[in-house]
Amino acid sequence: MRLKHTILATIAVSIINISCKDSTKREISMDEKVLSKTYQGESITHDFDAEIDALISQMTLEEKTGMLHGTSMFSTAGVERLGVPELKMADGPLGVREEISRDSWAPAGLDNDFATYYPAGGGLSATWNTELAYTFGFSVGEETRARDKDVLLSPAINIIRTPLGGRTYEYFTEDPFLNKKLTVPFVVGMQENDVAVCVKHYATNNQETNRDFVNVQIDERTLREIYLPAFKDAVVEAKAYSMMGAYNKFRGEYLCENGYMLNDVLRDEWGFEGIVISDWNAVHTSVNSLRSGLDIEMGTPKPFNEFYLADPLIDSIKVGKISEDEIDIHLKRIMQLMYTVKRMGANDRKKGIINTEAHFKDAYDIASESIVLLKNSNELLPIDASRIKSVAVIGNNAKKKNALGGFGAGVKTKREVTPLEGLQNRLPESVTINYAEGYQERYAPKKESVFGDVTQERVDTIDELDPKMLQDAIDTAKYSDITIIFAGSNRDFETEASDRADLELPFGQVELIKEVLKVNPNTIVVMIGGAPFDLGAIKEKSKALVWSWFNGSEGGNALADVLLGDVNPSGKLPWTMPKALNDSPAHATNSFPGDKSVTYEEGLLVGYRWFDTKNVEPLYPFGYGLSYTSFSIKNTKTDKNEYSNDDTILISLEVENTGEMDGKEIVQLYVSKSNSEVERAEKELKGFIKVMVTSGESKKVTLELPVKELAYYDVSQKAWTVEPGSYSLRIGNSSRNITSEVTINVK
């Protein structure tokens, strides 16, 4: 019997409100009860195996191979005479991509392919909110179905190894625990809509430079503990229906024909029953790729019949290099997916909805919780609109739209509220907005990008300011009560297929900001981007600094609500912002980007693990983010002192809102093991919870930590092992701000 997707709401976090005045309890809301969930996905169905076998037995060789490769830019062939439809795919990290032509990358020019633009991965991860991850997945899943797609190429969950990564904006985080806790609900939410995720890019695809051939070398323990946990949980916990093989090599073999990764790990160890789809133009052989675990080849720029799994595969079958029985294995996997998402064998498939106000609200909710307050001296924020008559809005990013742009998937949307439009929507008529562009978005000439030509030069910018534009910005700031500079990056600068050259802000923005600050100290700097930049000088000179993202259709409204105090900022950084590039581990070890090969010399010490273990001071640490209110975390204790391997540690504590505004705090649990027999980072994230606390009140929170989460990967045993002994459980609100610590013992 085919089971429906379920979400088992288990109270993994208990919350009891305690009044700070009289200590009386009040009833908690349903939203508070489901702050943490256990998500259970649904496996690929086998109810129709006999029917599938019967269909395959009637197919010609050409019909079989047609289902194994792209016969349009985003679909494989069906078998019309047998009632087997095409398998339809769409790009999707920011929302469902517009329709393109069947045989080229030119837009199809339709008027019914608009979609909601959702915040990029960096924005979602900055919320530290698993409920919003589920909301994102479910919402974009509904839109995928409304567009009649079977597979959405999302989510993108590769670990952020370098701050220069061209797709850092698209990925979630540098931390494997946060990564998997966001991935699982996202996958479950999307697949509840009779559509398959395609989790990407499996795996070790952590740079764009030379991505189509670079040979990545990672030791086994680092692979298991850092780079694979989210992929594993996507399969084991969320039951992902498909995975995308990456471009690069891993230990000498391309990942779309890497038997160790696709067969030994993905299928044999994790029990994956879905299909593996190649990244576009990432396949290099016919027989070897299939035997190594690939199911579908997609890509450009060859004619479809010249794909490795098209005519060349037919030739290989005819000369006995591979049998039809082996081909049938892959066909059956594909058709099992088609039955599971009800493309075949059912008439009750969900219809989906798209471009609804409910979906724009989903995008708003994610964006509003993603914004990170980095600095707020003299309480310049939130802006009190009743006390000002004018505001200077400066910066190209005030008007810049990011739904489309760059090299890769975007969204054709009917709504993208810019930061300037958000302020216009939210400020009262009594406040005059004075706009000056300040800097120009200008690029050095380069060759035109061709999809499939994945080794490209970096995006080079022209960084000289126009003197007249600079003076206009200075004059605008000088004669306004307060100034907001919208600076940072955009999706033309941060882009697939190109890593950045350094951490410098482009387009001369640092000089612009310094000059504006000279004439108006009441200046708020808002950075919009997806990856770290060198903000040292700006941090030092500015009174208020805010980080926002490529934040979707409602991004401008969400940002305005935070700046004006209608929403208390609650986002926290999902990656470490370094003071200097060489402070980051991949660069400190001189192991990025490599040439034909790259070895991850930093090993386990990725992101904050490196900074905290090596005592390197970051500009802003992992997990950092301020609020308009203040919080105190106190009374931390565990339910007992000693545990066995099958136990779950219960850590109780109180979060008190000691300020004057209601707000959300993210409690973060880090674990340390002293005197370990194996190498360990100074601390590792092993739990978190986002808690809403009313001003003047406190909440009691219980975090659950399964002892199995303390395990390391024992390479000699090829197994996860919990080392006995004492562990320090450290509670705080960033990796560098630990406010309490409890020691427990594992038998």
Side-chain angles (χ1 to χ4, degrees), residues 657-710:
N657 185 335
T658 57
E660 298 180 355
M661 182 182 290
D662 298 349
K664 296 180 180 181
E665 177 64 302
I666 300 171
V667 180
Q668 301 166 38
L669 166 64
Y670 296 87
V671 174
S672 299
K673 176 75 172 75
S674 59
N675 301 317
S676 177
E677 295 180 357
V678 297
E679 178 193 6
R680 292 181 184 267
E682 199 273 337
K683 65 174 77 77
E684 299 176 3
L685 182 72
K686 292 297 181 182
F688 62 90
I689 183 65
K690 195 164 194 173
V691 187
M692 177 70 186
V693 189
T694 305
S695 173
E697 293 191 347
S698 66
K699 282 186 177 177
K700 186 175 181 180
V701 176
T702 300
L703 292 170
E704 293 191 358
L705 172 61
V707 171
K708 289 187 168 108
E709 281 286 355
L710 304 178

Side-chain angles (χ1 to χ4, degrees), residues 25-62:
K25 299 178 182 178
R26 66 174 175 82
E27 185 176 351
I28 62 177
S29 69
M30 181 58 67
D31 285 344
E32 292 166 347
K33 289 181 180 179
V34 296
L35 277 171
S36 179
K37 286 184 176 182
T38 298
Y39 295 89
Q40 179 176 290
E42 176 195 357
S43 299
I44 291 285
T45 182
H46 289 272
D47 294 350
F48 300 92
D49 283 359
E51 189 173 333
I52 291 171
D53 290 339
L55 288 170
I56 292 174
S57 69
Q58 300 175 64
M59 292 182 186
T60 67
L61 182 57
E62 288 72 18

Side-chain angles (χ1 to χ4, degrees), residues 262-538:
L262 298 183
N263 286 333
D264 297 351
V265 176
L266 182 61
R267 294 196 186 276
D268 296 343
E269 285 190 34
W270 299 349
F272 180 65
E273 297 186 73
I275 62 174
V276 176
I277 302 170
S278 78
D279 207 336
W280 268 232
N281 198 37
V283 179
H284 299 268
T285 62
S286 300
V287 173
N288 188 52
S289 62
L290 283 175
R291 285 181 173 163
S292 298
L294 185 72
D295 297 299
I296 292 177
E297 176 189 8
M298 299 298 294
T300 50
K302 298 181 293 187
F304 299 122
N305 69 299
E306 294 181 10
F307 281 19
Y308 286 101
L309 300 189
D311 289 351
L313 178 60
I314 293 175
D315 293 340
S316 294
I317 296 169
K318 288 180 177 178
V319 298
K321 291 182 179 180
I322 188 170
S323 68
E324 275 199 64
D325 288 344
E326 291 177 89
I327 302 301
D328 293 349
I329 293 172
H330 303 276
L331 290 177
K332 190 164 185 176
R333 290 173 184 165
I334 295 166
M335 295 181 71
Q336 284 169 343
L337 181 148
M338 296 174 80
Y339 276 101
T340 298
V341 300
K342 300 181 180 180
R343 169 61 71 179
M344 297 177 66
N347 56 14
D348 61 339
R349 193 180 195 192
K350 293 187 177 181
K351 302 297 183 183
I353 54 175
I354 197 166
N355 270 328
T356 65
E357 287 302 318
H359 285 181
F360 290 130
K361 178 61 164 54
D362 291 338
Y364 171 88
D365 289 344
I366 297 166
S368 65
E369 288 201 22
S370 75
I371 296 164
V372 184
L373 179 61
L374 295 176
K375 184 178 181 181
N376 192 25
S377 61
N378 299 330
E379 297 185 345
L380 192 56
L381 288 169
I383 299 167
D384 186 348
S386 67
R387 301 181 65 178
I388 60 172
K389 294 182 179 180
S390 61
V391 55
V393 174
I394 295 173
N396 178 275
N397 261 354
K399 290 185 174 182
K400 179 71 176 180
K401 294 188 176 184
N402 289 296
L404 295 172
F407 182 83
V411 180
K412 178 180 169 183
T413 186
K414 292 182 177 179
R415 181 186 300 180
E416 181 179 355
V417 180
T418 66
L420 177 57
E421 291 170 338
L423 289 171
Q424 291 169 336
N425 293 339
R426 298 307 202 241
L427 282 169
E429 293 183 0
S430 59
V431 177
T432 300
I433 298 176
N434 304 310
Y435 175 70
E437 186 174 5
Y439 69 90
Q440 289 179 294
E441 179 192 354
R442 296 187 296 169
Y443 301 93
K446 63 176 183 176
K447 66 178 183 179
E448 186 173 350
S449 300
V450 177
F451 202 97
D453 177 16
V454 294
T455 304
Q456 299 187 34
E457 297 179 2
R458 290 192 174 98
V459 176
D460 292 322
T461 62
I462 299 174
D463 297 328
E464 291 79 18
L465 292 172
D466 178 273
K468 184 180 184 305
M469 293 180 68
L470 174 60
Q471 191 59 51
D472 287 346
I474 291 172
D475 292 341
T476 302
K478 184 185 298 184
Y479 300 109
S480 299
D481 293 334
I482 65 169
T483 297
I484 308 174
I485 301 176
F486 292 98
S489 181
N490 57 59
R491 286 195 57 241
D492 292 307
F493 183 63
E494 292 183 61
T495 175
E496 179 183 349
S498 175
D499 293 321
R500 289 154 49 205
D502 51 45
L503 293 178
E504 300 303 312
L505 279 172
F507 316 125
Q509 294 178 83
V510 174
E511 181 185 352
L512 169 68
I513 293 168
K514 288 180 178 178
E515 292 301 316
V516 169
L517 284 168
K518 289 178 182 177
V519 300
N520 192 337
N522 294 323
T523 294
I524 301 157
V525 181
V526 179
M527 305 300 302
I528 297 174
F533 284 92
D534 181 359
L535 304 185
I538 297 170

Side-chain angles (χ1 to χ4, degrees), residues 15-28 32 654 697-700:
I15 303 175
I16 303 173
N17 278 0
I18 304 175
S19 169
C20 291
K21 296 179 181 179
D22 57 13
S23 297
T24 58
K25 299 178 182 178
R26 66 174 175 82
E27 185 176 351
I28 62 177
E32 292 166 347
E654 289 181 30
E697 293 191 347
S698 66
K699 282 186 177 177
K700 186 175 181 180

Side-chain angles (χ1 to χ4, degrees), residues 171-187:
Y171 298 153
F172 287 167
T173 174
E174 68 187 25
D175 179 74
F177 185 86
L178 178 60
N179 202 16
K180 70 182 184 180
K181 291 302 180 184
L182 295 171
T183 296
V184 169
F186 186 103
V187 171

